Amino acid sequence: MIQDVTDNEEIEARIGRLRLLEALLFASADPLDEETLAGRLGEGADVPALLDELRRHYAPRGVNLVRTGAGWSFRTALDLGPQLRAEEEVSRKLSRAAIETLAIIAYHQPVTRAEIEQIRGVVTSKGTLDLLMEHGWIRPGRRRETPGRPLTWVTTDHFLDHFGLETLRDLPSVEDLRAAGLLDSRPVLLGLSGGEEAPARPPAPAEGPEPG
Amino acid sequence: MIQDVTDNEEIEARIGRLRLLEALLFASADPLDEETLAGRLGEGADVPALLDELRRHYAPRGVNLVRTGAGWSFRTALDLGPQLRAEEEVSRKLSRAAIETLAIIAYHQPVTRAEIEQIRGVVTSKGTLDLLMEHGWIRPGRRRETPGRPLTWVTTDHFLDHFGLETLRDLPSVEDLRAAGLLDSRPVLLGLSGGEEAPARPPAPAEGPEPG
Amino acid sequence: MTAFEEDSAPAPSEATAEQLVLVLDGFEGPLDMLLALGREQKVDLTRISILQLADQYLAFVAEARRVRLELAADYLVMAAWLAYLKSRLLVPEPSGEEPSGEDMAAALAFQLQRLEAMKEAAAKLMARPRLGIDLFARGAPEDLDIRRKSVFEVSLYDLLKAYGEHKRRKDGSVLQIAPVRLYSIEDAVRRLSELLGHVPDWTVLSSFLPDGGTDTLLGRSSLAAHFVATLELAKAGRVELRQDGAFSPIYVRRARPDTEP
């Protein structure tokens, strides 16, 4: 495999290049073509030979070095696919509306759907609450004792679990959010409150000016 | 290394588990804990032993298997960092305030914002905690059961992962600092921050006369 | 290793203070600056001279004043506190419940040690091999959701950020500035001009104020407006003012032709 080695120094250099090649391919988000790799490995690197050595090293392992149209990359071994994907469920990004709805339920619970809509200022799409409930983050709470007896929504233990909270009381308050910079504070108008904080002062003289 | 093997079948099973373990760890960018891995490898898998074998196999290579408090993960070898970094984007430079605040949270956790301000002697500017949280290094902890029930801040698993720490006990010099009494976040006599929990100031002459 | 420093740091020199003023931006507040000053003493922080430190800091504040540098309030609070501490250290301790000068000095020394310890810890922490800087994770993770903790990638940060954004949007949309009722100076000038026509001689200013007292915002603003109005009228030569001493009542009367300036 290593035919052109003449001395220890050369072996070391080759191992160094192999290690760098391995790390470059591992850390790259995209497949790397041989030209790019040659640029990174520097003069005197026989990139095709190094790639071949690496490919053969990984061939029997759980991770393989594969060549795709764009270049070379590590992928998990094809035959392990079924075991890796045993419980496959591609992770999805939750929509902004769903995150916001969840946040409002967390902070305002128990809260009815109408209240959520009032707070958000938009109609809650049918699927949003279903989605949050399906995922086990919210559940129906008690009915509100008002006309129509609307259902309220509350968060679940799974919600606490997911977000690493011990209790709901550990949710940062609005003040905490503001202090942490998650809420830009709007300008505050100071000194325009009423007279509560006015210092005690003798009442202004009541007697009006005597007309002359 | 493989002492308890009695027949070919067992060797095959062991190799199969090693390959699956390798693939699982390779597929994930985030560390995986042993419990998760055990769940995926199934009954009869000696996960610690398998991890150890894998770790040793990768030790001299360009990619290593490392353990942090967050779990096990493959990472590029430390000595290759400078060669790999060349192409990586320069990460956003953190402000001194952010770095100091992170260290205080790491060493004093759980710690309230007022305590952080006590230690630094300045008000925490807006955006500092926000930034640290955005990096995924800190999160809100439990509220302190003291008047005002202030929120505390703690570090995350990702913090351990990012700084390559197995536990918080591995923070640099943490034991020395504790022994020296320097991890005491209690307010001291000199209350220089504006925190809610600031202690009564010494009769500072700077205070203006009471109105009235 | 500090044994060789026979002559400990010189007395606070103006040069030091000037340098501090120059690099003021480099400090994270007064405690940070004190720590930098303390390091100049080149002794272990446990053996630092707090008195000398106070002198150095006060020299800095004096220098900042000399070059008319505007110092943040916390720098001035610290200066006042250090001046107080100095006086407590220099004069015999009064027996009382207040902490002694030594206690206060020790507390300051502890704060400095603690801050220094955290700065060193921060430096050591940042010097550690860091993910994404010194070592790298798999660049192209495969979407296997191995953790199975959640199908959705939502962090607590995302949740809080969403609520913060919602809150900000909402607060922004309902922000209404309540109309503020204040007594205007123009109104006060008009009112005073009319009333003065009925007043023959020195009359106390407060008696011109409209009913309602001065304990409301409107009342206080009317007091202020009327005071400014008298100044305006006096400047125009239409009234004369008199006050017998600081904080005593202000008297107003119509200007006499013969006393006009």
Side-chain angles (χ1 to χ4, degrees):
Chain A
M1 201 182 304
I2 307 180
Q3 300 128 336
D4 54 352
V5 173
T6 50
D7 63 294
N8 278 346
E9 211 171 289
E10 198 157 328
I11 295 180
E12 293 242 327
R14 189 178 175 87
I15 290 177
R17 283 198 286 264
L18 266 178
R19 292 180 74 234
L20 181 56
L21 181 64
E22 197 174 24
L24 281 167
L25 289 164
F26 171 82
S28 172
D30 302 306
L32 295 171
D33 58 37
E34 294 183 19
E35 201 186 333
T36 307
L37 290 170
R40 294 304 299 274
L41 291 175
E43 291 293 313
D46 183 352
V47 175
L50 291 167
L51 283 167
D52 193 52
E53 187 170 343
L54 211 53
R55 188 185 56 71
R56 274 185 283 163
H57 171 83
Y58 277 97
R61 305 197 64 89
V63 173
N64 303 152
L65 182 60
V66 298
R67 174 184 209 148
T68 60
W72 293 83
S73 59
F74 281 118
R75 300 312 282 172
T76 49
L78 216 53
D79 66 304
L80 293 174
Q83 277 167 281
L84 289 173
R85 287 163 188 80
E87 299 175 68
E88 179 184 16
E89 255 184 280
V90 180
S91 77
R92 284 173 281 171
K93 278 249 181 285
L94 202 57
S95 72
R96 250 190 66 181
I99 297 176
E100 196 176 303
T101 303
L102 180 61
I104 285 165
I105 293 171
Y107 276 93
H108 295 262
Q109 61 187 295
V111 62
T112 67
R113 183 179 168 150
E115 287 162 349
I116 295 169
E117 292 180 350
Q118 202 184 346
I119 292 166
R120 290 192 60 220
V122 285
V123 172
T124 305
S125 80
K126 173 103 175 53
T128 303
L129 291 174
D130 287 348
L131 182 77
L132 294 175
M133 188 161 78
E134 238 170 63
H135 204 68
W137 281 328
I138 63 167
R139 62 178 176 80
R142 304 185 63 167
R143 286 189 181 277
R144 185 69 50 80
E145 293 303 333
T146 54
R149 303 191 63 248
L151 201 63
T152 63
W153 293 92
V154 296
T155 56
T156 62
D157 285 347
H158 177 68
F159 167 85
L160 295 176
D161 208 34
H162 179 94
F163 291 101
L165 299 165
E166 280 198 42
T167 71
L168 277 176
R169 296 192 313 173
D170 294 337
L171 266 181
S173 70
V174 170
E175 270 321 301
D176 294 323
L177 292 181
R178 179 170 291 129
L182 285 157
L183 250 172
D184 291 340
S185 67
R186 60 204 168 90
V188 177
L189 296 166
L190 291 171
L192 292 180
S193 60
E196 298 94 314
E197 87 274 69
R201 197 186 277 256
E207 64 273 19
E210 290 288 322
Chain B
M1 200 182 304
I2 306 180
Q3 299 130 335
D4 54 351
V5 174
T6 50
D7 61 280
N8 279 348
E9 208 171 293
E10 198 157 328
I11 294 181
E12 293 248 324
R14 188 176 176 88
I15 290 178
R17 282 197 286 263
L18 264 179
R19 290 182 74 231
L20 181 55
L21 182 64
E22 193 176 26
L24 285 167
L25 289 164
F26 229 87
S28 171
D30 295 322
L32 298 172
D33 57 39
E34 294 183 17
E35 202 185 332
T36 305
L37 292 168
R40 295 305 298 270
L41 290 175
E43 292 291 315
D46 183 351
V47 175
L50 291 167
L51 283 166
D52 193 53
E53 188 171 341
L54 211 52
R55 187 182 58 71
R56 275 186 281 165
H57 172 81
Y58 276 94
R61 304 197 66 89
V63 173
N64 303 152
L65 182 59
V66 299
R67 171 192 210 150
T68 66
W72 291 82
S73 53
F74 278 116
R75 299 289 184 240
T76 55
L78 190 55
D79 64 304
L80 296 174
Q83 282 164 278
L84 294 172
R85 195 158 38 219
E87 206 176 271
E88 295 290 327
E89 286 173 44
V90 178
S91 66
R92 270 184 296 170
K93 198 150 163 56
L94 288 166
S95 69
R96 254 179 70 193
I99 294 170
E100 278 178 34
T101 302
L102 178 63
I104 289 167
I105 293 171
Y107 283 80
H108 290 261
Q109 61 186 300
V111 62
T112 67
R113 196 163 66 97
E115 286 164 350
I116 296 168
E117 294 179 349
Q118 279 285 329
I119 293 168
R120 296 192 60 231
V122 284
V123 170
T124 307
S125 72
K126 259 176 212 155
T128 301
L129 293 173
D130 181 29
L131 180 79
L132 296 176
M133 202 167 156
E134 197 177 353
H135 271 95
W137 291 331
I138 64 166
R139 65 177 180 82
R142 305 194 63 164
R143 289 184 179 278
R144 183 74 50 81
E145 293 301 336
T146 53
R149 304 193 63 251
L151 198 68
T152 63
W153 293 90
V154 296
T155 55
T156 61
D157 278 354
H158 181 66
F159 167 83
L160 296 175
D161 185 25
H162 184 90
F163 291 98
L165 298 163
E166 274 199 45
T167 72
L168 290 173
R169 287 193 301 276
D170 298 326
L171 283 169
S173 320
V174 69
E175 284 313 317
D176 295 342
L177 292 174
R178 194 184 315 282
L182 293 171
L183 296 189
D184 186 348
S185 53
R186 280 177 310 179
V188 292
L189 202 58
L190 177 58
L192 290 171
S193 81
E196 306 92 286
E197 299 150 79
R201 285 213 183 124
E207 303 281 336
E210 286 291 313
Chain C
M1 70 194 96
T2 52
F4 301 106
E5 303 290 334
E6 273 300 330
D7 48 348
S8 57
S13 60
E14 273 210 2
T16 310
E18 263 171 35
Q19 285 160 11
L20 286 179
V21 170
L22 283 177
V23 298
L24 186 57
D25 280 348
F27 292 106
E28 298 267 339
L31 202 60
D32 192 32
M33 173 177 280
L34 271 178
L35 184 57
L37 284 172
R39 282 175 181 150
E40 277 182 18
Q41 289 189 18
K42 298 198 169 96
V43 294
D44 192 273
L45 279 180
T46 52
R47 297 190 294 139
I48 202 167
S49 162
I50 293 292
L51 203 55
Q52 187 183 327
L53 198 57
D55 280 337
Q56 282 175 296
Y57 187 91
L58 293 172
F60 150 71
V61 172
E63 173 64 17
R65 286 239 169 90
R66 195 182 66 78
V67 299
R68 293 170 189 279
L69 189 76
E70 211 160 301
L71 284 179
D74 44 353
Y75 282 87
L76 299 176
V77 169
M78 177 63 94
W81 192 86
L82 287 173
Y84 176 73
L85 171 63
K86 204 179 144 185
S87 72
R88 293 292 304 272
L89 287 171
L90 291 176
V91 301
E93 293 291 335
S95 58
E97 286 163 26
E98 285 180 21
S100 71
E102 272 79 26
D103 287 346
M104 291 164 66
L108 178 58
F110 171 74
Q111 276 217 327
L112 293 175
Q113 285 169 45
R114 188 169 64 178
L115 181 60
E116 184 178 57
M118 280 303 107
K119 282 175 180 292
E120 283 170 2
K124 282 183 193 161
L125 191 62
M126 299 316 276
R128 284 189 65 83
R130 287 169 60 195
L131 185 62
I133 294 171
D134 302 295
L135 39 83
F136 299 89
R138 175 85 188 271
E142 294 169 49
D143 251 347
L144 301 177
D145 195 37
I146 288 155
R147 275 187 182 283
R148 284 289 302 151
K149 270 197 172 162
S150 166
V151 180
F152 289 108
E153 283 176 38
V154 189
S155 67
L156 181 61
Y157 179 76
D158 295 331
L159 185 77
L160 299 180
K161 187 103 185 138
Y163 193 67
E165 271 164 16
H166 152 75
K167 200 83 187 156
R168 191 170 58 211
R169 227 171 34 238
K170 184 163 169 265
D171 286 358
S173 66
V174 299
L175 173 61
Q176 285 171 350
I177 300 173
V180 181
R181 290 191 59 222
L182 295 174
Y183 210 100
S184 78
I185 294 167
E186 290 74 19
D187 287 346
V189 168
R190 206 172 303 123
R191 182 181 155 87
L192 272 179
S193 306
E194 280 172 21
L195 288 175
L196 277 168
H198 305 287
V199 179
D201 207 347
W202 292 111
T203 308
V204 69
L205 172 63
S206 56
S207 62
F208 289 106
L209 298 184
D211 291 343
T214 55
D215 54 351
T216 63
L217 183 64
L218 183 62
R220 276 182 285 156
S221 75
S222 89
L223 176 65
H226 279 78
F227 176 66
V228 174
T230 57
L231 296 181
E232 287 282 335
L233 291 170
K235 197 169 144 204
R238 292 174 56 197
V239 302
E240 291 171 18
L241 299 177
R242 196 189 91 207
Q243 189 180 25
D244 297 332
F247 303 114
S248 56
I250 295 168
Y251 292 88
V252 193
R253 73 172 178 192
R254 244 190 318 166
R256 307 281 160 96
D258 53 316
T259 57
E260 257 180 88

